[in-house]
Amino acid sequence: MTLMLLTTVAAASLFPAQGSIAAGLKYVTVFMIGLLFFLHGAKLSRAAVIAGATHWRLHLLVLLCTFALFPVLALLFEPAILLLLTPELYLGILFLCLLPSTVQSSIAFTAAARGNVPAAVCSASLSSLLGIFLTPLLVSLAMPAAAGASASVDAVLAIVYQLLLPFIAGQVARRWIGGWVDSHKSLVKAVDQGSILLVVFSAFSAAVVAGLWSKVPLVMLGSLIVVCIVLLALVIATVTWLARRCGFSRADEVTIVFCGSNKSLATGIPLAHVLIPAASISMIVLPLMLFHQVQLLVCAVIAGRYARRTPQALEARIAADRA
């Protein structure tokens, strides 16, 4: 996916969509986003949701980390970040901090690290669903009007018919197509990745036409990567500490770490497509794209370390931390 994203950005930089092609691409993108959320609704198992739904302490901590810890860190370190990045890129950092947790990566890393997978399914899905409503609200509160971001009635309606209604339709249709969707996971993955690539190509095409790369030199790009790494490190360290201090088991700690520290590219880009004006969207989603790649690499390493630890050794370490 990283290579495909880089290829898409390169293609948009060399051959940006313009005129009637760009207008047609917008309609195709809206359709693909709707199809993506329909398939997500159709593949979400109600049994898995019920199995993890009762673990309210875990879900509450994940939601607090996702929608409170991230924004607080972005606002707290705003002066330091603005020493390295432009105000537009800082708004991109702030926007990614307001997004819900990713579903696929959180569950995959939790499974690889031998965590509580049913709770991860429920927690990540709940975060994603609440993000449809919470992110526009937080954007309207935290991001200055100069960003052009809006949680107006039109924007909320766009989120409802582009994201929420297809998801609900998928949940309703799961009764008839759930088995087929479960047996064709490659199709869901293709739609997932394809919708992201379409939005990225469309956004960067418009940005390149407006002179994006003259605004983001290589030094600035390197600074942005550093900010993403530091932000993720701070969140993972804080989430891990909180999970241990609250007395969660090893399996629950794994779930909290991955669900509480990841941000959703699949949800974030469609939300940006709805909430952010076309003139600003490329600078807003650039930090999200880079953060997504950083979290994949870092969390893959952490998942491997968790998988190699014995439960007894980890429980002993948690007990020592509490003492």
Side-chain angles (χ1 to χ4, degrees), residues 30-43 100 103 128-129 132 159 161-171 188 191-192 195 264-271:
V30 170
F31 171 78
M32 287 294 292
I33 290 172
L35 179 60
L36 166 66
F37 276 81
F38 173 82
L39 291 175
H40 275 302
K43 78 173 184 176
V103 178
S128 184
L129 284 174
I132 295 176
I159 289 171
Y161 73 73
Q162 288 187 35
L163 309 182
L164 184 60
L165 287 182
F167 184 89
I168 294 174
Q171 276 282 284
V188 180
V191 174
D192 194 343
S195 61
S264 176
L265 184 70
T267 304
I269 289 185
L271 282 172

Side-chain angles (χ1 to χ4, degrees), residues 37-299:
F37 276 81
F38 173 82
L39 291 175
H40 275 302
K43 78 173 184 176
L44 184 60
S45 169
R46 291 185 180 87
V49 172
I50 293 172
T54 56
H55 208 338
W56 65 270
R57 290 178 64 245
L58 181 149
H59 304 318
L60 179 60
L61 182 55
V62 169
L63 291 175
L64 287 174
C65 292
T66 302
F67 294 112
L69 176 61
F70 264 100
V72 166
L73 288 175
L75 293 171
L76 184 64
F77 290 100
E78 177 181 358
I81 295 174
L82 287 174
L83 292 176
L84 300 172
L85 305 178
T86 64
E88 283 182 298
L89 288 176
Y90 168 74
L91 289 175
I93 292 290
L94 184 55
F95 177 74
L96 82 84
C97 288
L98 304 177
L99 292 173
S101 176
T102 182
V103 178
Q104 298 94 328
S105 298
S106 297
I107 296 170
F109 287 132
T110 299
R114 302 172 187 174
N116 188 339
V117 175
V121 171
C122 182
S123 190
S125 301
L126 177 63
S127 175
S128 184
L129 284 174
L130 289 178
I132 295 176
F133 302 99
L134 285 179
T135 295
L137 176 62
L138 293 173
V139 164
S140 67
L141 294 174
M143 295 180 69
S150 171
S152 66
V153 174
D154 290 341
V156 173
L157 289 176
I159 289 171
V160 169
Y161 73 73
Q162 288 187 35
L163 309 182
L164 184 60
L165 287 182
F167 184 89
I168 294 174
Q171 276 282 284
V172 173
R174 177 173 173 78
R175 178 179 178 182
W176 299 281
I177 67 172
W180 184 85
V181 171
D182 291 339
S183 62
H184 291 78
K185 294 181 180 179
S186 59
L187 173 63
V188 180
K189 181 179 179 181
V191 174
D192 194 343
Q193 295 181 344
S195 61
I196 293 172
L197 295 176
L198 273 175
V199 175
V200 169
F201 181 80
S202 178
F204 271 83
S205 291
V208 169
V209 172
L212 168 67
W213 295 120
S214 62
K215 301 176 184 177
V216 187
L218 287 177
V219 174
M220 186 69 66
L221 199 62
S223 298
L224 179 57
I225 294 173
V226 170
V227 170
C228 290
I229 292 173
V230 172
L231 175 63
L232 182 61
L234 286 173
V235 171
I236 288 177
T238 304
V239 170
T240 304
W241 180 81
L242 287 172
R244 293 175 180 177
R245 293 298 296 178
C246 292
F248 285 99
S249 67
R250 174 208 178 272
D252 288 345
E253 178 192 322
V254 169
T255 301
I256 293 168
V257 167
F258 292 123
C259 292
S261 65
N262 280 221
K263 288 293 183 177
S264 176
L265 184 70
T267 304
I269 289 185
L271 282 172
H273 186 70
V274 173
L275 294 171
I276 309 297
S280 305
I281 189 172
S282 60
M283 297 292 281
I284 297 296
V285 302
L286 183 59
L288 174 59
M289 289 175 57
L290 291 177
F291 185 86
H292 182 76
Q293 310 313 317
V294 170
Q295 78 183 15
L296 289 178
L297 295 172
V298 172
C299 288

